[in-house]
Amino acid sequence: MRLPWSKKDIDLEPTTGDDPKDSNFIERKIGLSKKGAIFAAGASLFSDGYANASIGPASTILKSYIYKDAFLDRPVNGRLLPAIAFAGIILGQLTFGWISDKIGRKFGMLLCTGIVFVFSALEAASKGPGAQGTINALMAYRFLVGVGIGGEYPTGSVAAAENTEDPEISKGSQQKLFVLATNTMIDLAFVISYFVCLVCLWIFGMNHLNAVWRITLGLGCVPPMFLFYFRLKMKEPETYAHNSMKHTRIPWWLVIKRYWLKLLAVSVTWFLYDWITYPFGLYATPITAVADKQGTLYTSIGWGCLINFFYVPGTLAGAFIVDYLGPKYTMIFGLCMQALFGFVLSGCYNLLTEPKRISGFAIMYGLFLCFGEVGPGNCLGLLASKAIGPTATRGQLYGIAAAVGKVGAFIGTYTFPQIQASFGAAGTYGNNTGVFWLGSGLALVSATITFFFIPNIQPDHMVGEDLAFRAYLEANGYDTSKMGLKDTVTDLESHQGTQYEKDKIAGSEETARPVEL
């Protein structure tokens, strides 16, 4: 068939098989080759960023305008509403870690996409008896959408990481492509969520705030709807097909003995990073409201949008240096710079928050968040995917590290108001600056842990680690002949897969692929 605007015959029917090239007109225009597969796997983290950030302005509207009395009578509502999604995310990360390893990356990604779509839509329709009933319904849906978001980490992020080490991907771009497909998507969503709320406010005005917060949250169902088609077209990553333990027992004691220290180091640094980042992002609106005392809801959300925008240049700049410095040293650099700007914010707070200098406060605060993305924001997912375990257990180990991080996000978000209060009464210098001192100190602690306990991964690190892991298992008497997807790969092909990985390490693309039977 030839379309009017096409010079060639177009096959509109999708094809399957071993060739990952784009198979129809739509895919040729949008792209679902090897690089496209990386983005199709990782880009659903946009939903994570959107769902987590959009509750910031939405909760401000609910707390300060629509259900003001319900939040005053039950202060716990103000702490639970922004934090409850993290409980669901933790459950999803741990559950889908097992699904990713024992059932498959693709199945897990499709299931997560469906969960996020359904419950993001239901968030917009939250309704219950009275104000408290509506708040309870919203919290319930946020918990459930969190399960789907959490599942994206050990399924989508892991699949994206494994696809970056395909022979068709340049060795000098492996880490950059992973960052752009995952953390950059989260950070773009942070900005867009605030901007969407601001646009809705411009459209509906202060007299229709119910429409503003409902539409802001409900639009979170759009990204997973677009991704679903491309994920249907995806195959399991080749490294997973050859090294999976789907059909055999995972020797957890051997895994723990080999990887426990790296897993612990990445988990602790992720905990500290999320403890800093998510509260500061979610509370961007109230923080700037303190500095901009004469502001309106429009200016408050606008400042929140501007501050969250600083995540974007941070993640983009970090993406283009991570392949040169390596994730370890890029992360240390970002953490040290974040600590520096945090200390400056604390020491110069009174000067920066004068009415004529409020833009300076926003810029300095934005740079504090920006360097967090250059370092741990970009690199923690890389390290959790590639440095703390083999393909056979990557989903579960990644899920554990990410879950520990989200525990930090939950604790930080839930306790943020109390932590501020512990530094002094509202409006005092200690109350306004204490969190910056604390956040900067924790950034330096994370940098120290990273320097001493986390390796600086190189290109094709996962391929080499899978070979070393097989040798380690065989040296400890474990039968590796049952590894691989036996439902799609024959025993002979599985054996050839080991040689395939060796050839990839040697850099021979021609001999890397298994001989077809």
Side-chain angles (χ1 to χ4, degrees):
M1 175 181 180
R2 179 172 296 179
L3 299 177
W5 57 84
S6 176
K7 297 180 181 180
K8 299 179 180 179
D9 289 338
I10 301 298
D11 180 10
L12 293 178
E13 293 299 322
T15 59
T16 59
D18 294 330
D19 189 349
K21 293 180 180 178
D22 306 331
S23 60
N24 60 44
F25 171 75
I26 295 174
E27 291 170 10
R28 275 193 286 273
K29 291 297 183 184
I30 299 178
L32 193 58
S33 59
K34 285 297 183 182
K35 290 183 180 179
I38 296 171
F39 282 87
S44 191
L45 289 181
F46 184 96
S47 301
D48 171 23
Y50 189 94
N52 283 323
S54 61
I55 196 61
S59 62
T60 297
I61 293 171
L62 292 170
K63 182 178 180 179
S64 302
Y65 296 91
I66 298 178
Y67 300 130
K68 190 173 182 179
D69 291 339
F71 282 89
L72 288 174
D73 295 340
R74 294 191 62 187
V76 69
N77 286 335
R79 297 193 299 271
L80 274 179
L81 184 57
I84 193 66
F86 295 120
I89 290 173
I90 293 167
L91 177 61
Q93 287 166 336
L94 296 175
T95 303
F96 280 85
W98 181 88
I99 291 173
S100 178
D101 287 337
K102 299 299 288 186
I103 299 179
R105 316 290 199 225
K106 179 176 179 177
F107 174 83
M109 286 189 289
L110 291 173
L111 183 56
C112 290
T113 302
I115 292 173
V116 173
F117 174 81
V118 170
F119 290 105
S120 291
L122 287 175
E123 278 186 317
S126 299
K127 187 66 177 176
Q132 188 59 47
T134 299
I135 294 170
N136 290 342
L138 177 58
M139 287 192 290
Y141 293 138
R142 282 197 58 74
F143 173 82
L144 293 169
V145 78
V147 174
I149 292 170
E152 287 290 344
Y153 286 80
T155 56
S157 290
V158 163
E162 290 168 347
N163 280 314
T164 62
E165 296 196 0
D166 188 271
E168 295 183 16
I169 302 299
S170 168
K171 295 186 187 301
S173 301
Q174 290 180 356
Q175 326 304 2
K176 175 181 68 177
L177 288 173
F178 177 84
V179 169
L180 293 175
T182 54
N183 193 58
T184 301
M185 295 294 105
I186 296 177
D187 293 341
L188 283 173
F190 274 28
V191 182
I192 291 173
S193 64
Y194 271 80
F195 186 68
V196 164
C197 186
L198 186 59
V199 170
C200 289
L201 192 58
W202 289 336
I203 294 171
F204 295 102
M206 295 295 293
N207 293 327
H208 300 282
L209 291 179
N210 259 313
V212 174
W213 75 263
R214 290 182 184 277
I215 292 175
T216 299
L217 295 180
L219 287 176
C221 71
V222 175
M225 178 178 64
F226 279 102
L227 275 176
F228 196 82
Y229 168 78
F230 294 102
R231 289 187 159 186
L232 279 173
K233 295 284 296 177
M234 290 178 61
K235 293 172 57 182
E236 298 287 11
E238 290 183 36
T239 184
Y240 176 74
H242 291 295
N243 296 287
S244 170
M245 288 185 172
K246 179 177 181 178
H247 300 296
T248 187
R249 176 185 59 86
I250 296 177
W252 277 110
W253 178 240
L254 294 177
V255 172
I256 292 170
K257 284 200 301 181
R258 183 174 175 85
Y259 298 107
W260 73 270
L261 184 58
K262 295 175 183 177
L263 173 63
L264 179 62
V266 171
S267 298
V268 171
T269 53
W270 207 332
F271 176 93
L272 295 176
Y273 169 71
D274 277 8
W275 192 98
I276 299 168
T277 298
Y278 276 94
F280 275 89
L282 291 175
Y283 287 94
T285 300
I287 287 173
T288 51
V290 170
D292 187 18
K293 296 181 177 62
Q294 298 179 343
T296 64
L297 179 61
Y298 291 89
T299 61
S300 181
I301 294 176
W303 280 118
C305 183
L306 173 63
I307 288 171
N308 279 284
F309 173 78
F310 280 89
Y311 286 120
V312 178
T315 185
L316 290 175
F320 284 92
I321 66 174
V322 69
D323 283 295
Y324 295 96
L325 297 181
K328 174 178 179 175
Y329 295 108
T330 302
M331 182 164 160
I332 292 172
F333 168 72
L335 286 166
C336 291
M337 292 300 295
Q338 186 180 38
L340 175 63
F341 278 95
F343 288 137
V344 171
L345 271 170
S346 301
C348 303
Y349 182 84
N350 289 335
L351 180 65
L352 290 170
T353 54
E354 292 179 4
K356 294 182 179 180
R357 296 189 174 94
I358 185 62
S359 59
F361 171 82
I363 291 171
M364 292 295 291
Y365 181 33
L367 289 172
F368 172 81
L369 300 176
C370 174
F371 280 103
E373 296 308 292
V374 171
N378 282 353
C379 299
L380 277 170
L382 264 174
L383 294 168
S385 296
K386 300 188 176 186
I388 63 173
T391 297
T393 60
R394 183 167 294 124
Q396 292 169 86
L397 295 178
Y398 189 110
I400 292 170
V404 172
K406 285 302 180 286
V407 169
F410 178 83
I411 294 174
T413 304
Y414 187 81
T415 61
F416 196 85
Q418 295 96 314
I419 292 170
Q420 275 191 300
S422 70
F423 286 103
T428 63
Y429 175 79
N431 180 272
N432 294 332
T433 64
V435 289
F436 290 106
W437 290 108
L438 183 58
S440 299
L442 291 177
L444 292 179
V445 172
S446 295
T448 303
I449 294 172
T450 303
F451 181 79
F452 286 105
F453 299 108
I454 297 177
N456 196 30
I457 58 177
Q458 302 298 322
D460 288 336
H461 178 87
M462 292 188 293
V463 178
E465 184 56 43
D466 283 334
L467 291 172
F469 183 62
R470 278 181 179 266
Y472 168 72
L473 292 179
E474 291 167 359
N476 284 273
Y478 183 86
D479 181 10
T480 61
S481 64
K482 295 182 180 180
M483 294 176 66
L485 299 183
K486 305 302 180 183
D487 51 345
T488 57
V489 181
T490 67
D491 290 344
L492 178 58
E493 286 173 313
S494 178
H495 172 74
Q496 290 168 337
T498 303
Q499 183 61 41
Y500 162 70
E501 290 166 335
K502 292 177 181 177
D503 290 335
K504 282 172 69 177
I505 287 289
S508 173
E509 236 177 271
E510 293 298 323
T511 60
R513 300 190 177 280
V515 178
E516 294 184 358
L517 298 178

